[in-house]
Amino acid sequence: MNNAFIHIPISFAAVILSLAITIPAEAQYINLQLDISAEANADVQQPLDFGTLISGSGNTRIEPGSPSMGIFRIRVLQAQQILFHLELPQYLEHTDPEINAQIPVRLYASYSEFGEEDFAMAVPVNSPYEEVVLTTPGSSDHEWATAYLYLYGDIHVGEITDGTYRGEVVLNIEYE
Amino acid sequence: MKTTIITLTTALLLLTGSALFAQESGDITASANVLESITVAGEENLNFGDVEIGNSVSVAPLEGGQFSIAGSDRNVSLVFTLPGSLENGTETLDISFSTTDAIWNNGNGNETVDPNDSFNADIDGGNLDVFIGGQVTAATDQEPGEYEGTITLTAEYDLD
């Protein structure tokens, strides 16, 4: 009974104290928060186009470093780090929904660190399900930092209906 | 009073927490355009009939050999492999092809081309016909008999 009686005033006092400390700084904190709000976005620099192929032609590969690679550009402002992961298709599907035809596809990815544009320095993503954490330079207060994500891989074209086949690669980014 | 303060504190923490992480996403399209494989079939032979010794016989393209090509509606590159002579055992009979001895037609009219050079044509409606003529000359000392040779037409999509 005594403990409860003592405990309530202490926690009450602690809350009052924290409010007392917080309230005077609130206006400055709001200004600061506007300044440092993080932003990030990803845009497509180049789609992943395997080109025109002939039915039954077998395997076609876009090699790592090839000019035909798909490229995402990831830009961040003020974020400390980002985490990304990919959702990769297993098949390209005919664009005519009436046609049930698929092309098996195996895709791989490599990413460059922020500030590095040379593919030769890119780091492979080990598995399609890997979550990759990238630390941003962070020192420049008002400049966007840019990293790149490269996609490549192979498809196998069997004896299938002619036409255009497509699949979507989704890049998800979380940042703080 | 205590309830109000705790609620305010919790709300503040929730607001702070929601500002820590944000999400973005983007997507890239992976694509491929697939063409039907090309087939080339010899429909009609180029037959010169009987040739008298010391004479020449010419056959016009539309009355000569015919190839049918099937595939996707695209431009194709075509090339003939032509014999320089027809053979009968060790005997040979000269054959030649002029610059107007080939015609292609995809249903939109005849186009005359030189069978000695590669040429391009459009498959339309999935089909293309190519015709070839030529001329054979029997020398004055030509050995009588049946002479044969092979004309090959190779087609591939022009993907440039």
Side-chain angles (χ1 to χ4, degrees), chain B:
Chain B
M1 182 62 182
K2 179 184 170 189
T3 304
T4 306
I5 291 169
I6 290 172
T7 305
L8 282 172
T9 308
T10 306
L12 185 65
L13 286 172
L14 285 173
L15 284 171
T16 309
S18 67
L20 279 176
F21 288 96
Q23 290 185 325
E24 289 287 336
S25 68
D27 56 79
I28 266 181
T29 301
S31 63
N33 189 33
V34 176
L35 302 179
E36 190 180 331
S37 55
I38 297 180
T39 59
V40 181
E43 298 289 344
E44 298 286 344
N45 291 324
L46 173 56
N47 190 354
F48 292 93
D50 295 332
V51 183
E52 292 181 20
I53 291 173
N55 284 339
S56 294
V57 171
S58 294
V59 173
L62 294 176
E63 295 162 0
Q66 179 183 352
F67 294 91
S68 277
I69 299 153
S72 295
D73 287 356
R74 293 289 290 245
N75 188 258
V76 289
S77 174
L78 299 144
V79 62
F80 282 107
T81 303
L82 301 172
S85 61
L86 306 183
E87 296 178 351
N88 176 16
T90 57
E91 300 295 324
T92 61
L93 174 69
D94 289 342
I95 184 169
S96 61
F97 302 89
S98 76
T99 57
T100 57
D101 266 341
I103 287 174
W104 62 265
N105 188 326
N106 58 12
N108 298 309
N110 294 329
E111 293 286 338
T112 300
V113 290
D114 184 353
N116 300 290
D117 290 329
S118 63
F119 57 99
N120 282 59
D122 296 317
I123 296 177
D124 193 358
N127 291 296
L128 171 69
D129 291 320
V130 178
F131 304 90
I132 185 164
Q135 182 180 62
V136 291
T137 302
T140 53
D141 59 349
Q142 190 75 46
E143 190 68 29
E146 190 167 320
Y147 291 79
E148 290 184 348
T150 301
I151 298 171
T152 303
L153 178 63
T154 304
E156 62 180 23
Y157 289 111
D158 191 346
L159 301 179
D160 294 335

Side-chain angles (χ1 to χ4, degrees), chain A residues 3-14:
Chain A
N3 285 344
F5 179 75
I6 293 166
H7 180 70
I8 291 170
I10 289 173
S11 59
F12 183 76

Side-chain angles (χ1 to χ4, degrees), chain A residues 3 17-18 20 32-33 35 43 46 56 66-67 77 101 105 118-119 139 149 168:
Chain A
N3 285 344
L17 183 62
S18 68
L32 189 59
Q33 187 180 38
D35 250 358
D43 58 13
Q46 181 167 287
S66 159
L77 180 66
V105 57
D118 185 358
F119 177 78
S139 56
L149 182 64
E168 296 299 320

